[in-house]
Amino acid sequence: MPIATPEVYAEMIDRAKKGGFAYPAINITSSQTLNAALRGFADAGSDGIVQISTGGAEYASGPTIKDKVTGAVALAEYARVVAKNYPVNVALHTDHCQKEKLDSYVNPLIAISQERVDRGEDPLFNSHMWDGSAIEVEENLQIAKELLTRTSKAYIILEIEVGAVGGEEDGVTGEINEKLYTTVADGMRTLEVLGLGEQGRYITALTFGNVHGAYKPGHVKLRPEILKEIQDACGAKYGKDKPFDLVFHGGSGSTPQEIADAVSYGVIKMNIDTDTQYAFTRPVADHMFKNYDGVLKIDGEVGNKKTYDPRSWGKSAEAGMSARIVEACQQLGSVGTHQG
């Protein structure tokens, strides 16, 4: 199937919210990781989301070029060609974009999508994330309001983050402290500024102790009940059950119970990057260790072309990542939920 249209993407989110499940959002950096994600979703019979961070976009443009827009457009266009061969719907999303990167990433991509929409085409991306977690909530929301005006016009859903995420991703480090927990007041203010959809559709990452990266059990103190508190309080004020369509950031390494709780409170998208990075790389390491005398030309020998051909270990890498995505779909309850 082709990449999801704006209408299909909105229906995907509504179906997840109603059905009590969530979609894995998989970070991609190349055609290989994209193919792995598509295969994983297809194997699980689940629709899904692939996303490109600023660092991933830079890498995709060429390690010496480092042009975020070029890399993001290239991967999005490639996805639009190859996704047609898979029997599921996949949405295209851009991951964390901080204030200082808006003009070199999200804003140009919105402009590209607007040009496409003006020609009668679908937007290039289905959604974009504005990451205002490093600035004060009021400034964060005012920038979100301005972005929402433009994303809604281009039939794009905006993702925002209210609260901070700890750990490190793409060179941005967040402290692990009390700011990792969004407050009810923050949720109320978000609805006051951005509305409940009448100004344009958005999805929201409310933080409940989320941390990027890989950590041993017990290091990260997640409190999913915060999501319920905010949904209940805001829902009571506005007369709407679970008014937020929620996003779970820093999802790698979370326990099954933490994931289940978060989804029950309205999470419809969970970002997964660290775990799929490892799942992609681990089979490569295995291949190299087992075939070291083939991938290396030791003592003047010629090696074994079949083992150092990038396709030989690349297929294993993609299969490992795909399997991890199927596992994520199982944890989030999206297996078999695709509706053709």
Side-chain angles (χ1 to χ4, degrees), residues 7-273:
E7 295 77 16
V8 167
Y9 188 36
E11 191 274 334
M12 282 170 55
I13 293 173
D14 290 341
R15 186 154 39 88
K17 186 85 166 285
K18 183 178 180 181
F21 64 89
Y23 300 106
I26 307 300
N27 283 70
I28 62 168
T29 57
S30 64
S31 60
Q32 280 189 299
T33 50
L34 171 62
N35 287 336
L38 294 173
R39 174 182 168 182
F41 289 131
D43 287 349
S46 169
D47 296 331
I49 301 165
V50 294
Q51 56 189 26
I52 308 167
S53 67
T54 55
E58 282 189 351
Y59 177 78
S61 74
T64 63
I65 303 301
K66 295 184 177 181
D67 183 272
K68 294 187 285 293
V69 173
T70 295
V73 170
L75 284 176
E77 293 287 12
Y78 180 80
R80 289 185 173 278
V81 174
V82 298
K84 295 177 182 179
N85 297 316
Y86 291 86
V88 291
N89 296 308
V90 177
L92 298 176
H93 176 75
T94 61
D95 201 10
H96 293 267
C97 182
Q98 296 80 22
K99 181 180 178 181
E100 66 274 11
K101 296 178 181 178
L102 281 174
D103 287 339
S104 62
Y105 195 47
V106 164
N107 284 335
L109 291 175
I110 293 174
I112 289 170
S113 283
Q114 187 62 61
E115 291 173 0
R116 290 171 60 98
V117 169
D118 290 344
R119 296 194 300 265
E121 303 171 12
D122 287 337
L124 183 61
F125 282 88
N126 297 96
S127 50
H128 292 298
M129 184 192 176
W130 148 238
D131 182 357
S133 62
I135 60 179
E136 293 301 317
V137 171
E138 196 59 35
E139 182 184 9
N140 178 356
L141 293 176
Q142 292 307 319
I143 292 174
K145 185 178 179 69
E146 189 275 331
L147 286 169
L148 188 60
T149 300
R150 289 188 288 124
T151 53
S152 60
K153 184 180 178 183
Y155 307 132
I156 297 166
I157 293 174
L158 181 67
E159 179 181 328
I160 66 169
E161 185 165 56
V162 182
V165 173
E168 189 274 334
E169 182 175 64
D170 277 345
V172 178
T173 301
E175 294 183 8
I176 299 176
N177 54 33
E178 71 283 350
K179 292 183 179 180
L180 301 185
Y181 304 97
T182 308
T183 66
V184 170
D186 293 336
M188 290 289 191
R189 184 57 181 155
T190 299
L191 294 178
E192 288 174 4
V193 174
L194 301 182
L196 285 90
E198 69 279 1
Q199 299 179 44
R201 187 157 193 175
Y202 64 96
I203 56 180
T204 308
L206 300 176
T207 59
F208 50 100
N210 314 70
V211 177
H212 289 133
Y215 296 90
K216 292 182 179 180
H219 180 84
V220 178
K221 306 298 183 184
L222 289 179
R223 294 173 53 202
E225 64 273 12
I226 286 176
L227 301 179
K228 182 177 181 352
E229 292 171 7
I230 295 173
Q231 291 274 44
D232 288 351
C234 293
K237 179 176 180 179
Y238 288 91
K240 182 177 181 180
D241 182 48
K242 297 177 185 173
F244 289 105
D245 296 328
L246 296 177
V247 180
F248 187 157
H249 282 234
S252 294
S254 301
T255 68
Q257 189 60 55
E258 289 167 342
I259 293 171
D261 289 346
V263 171
S264 73
Y265 302 145
V267 163
I268 49 83
K269 170 180 181 281
M270 187 174 86
N271 293 5
I272 303 174
D273 187 16

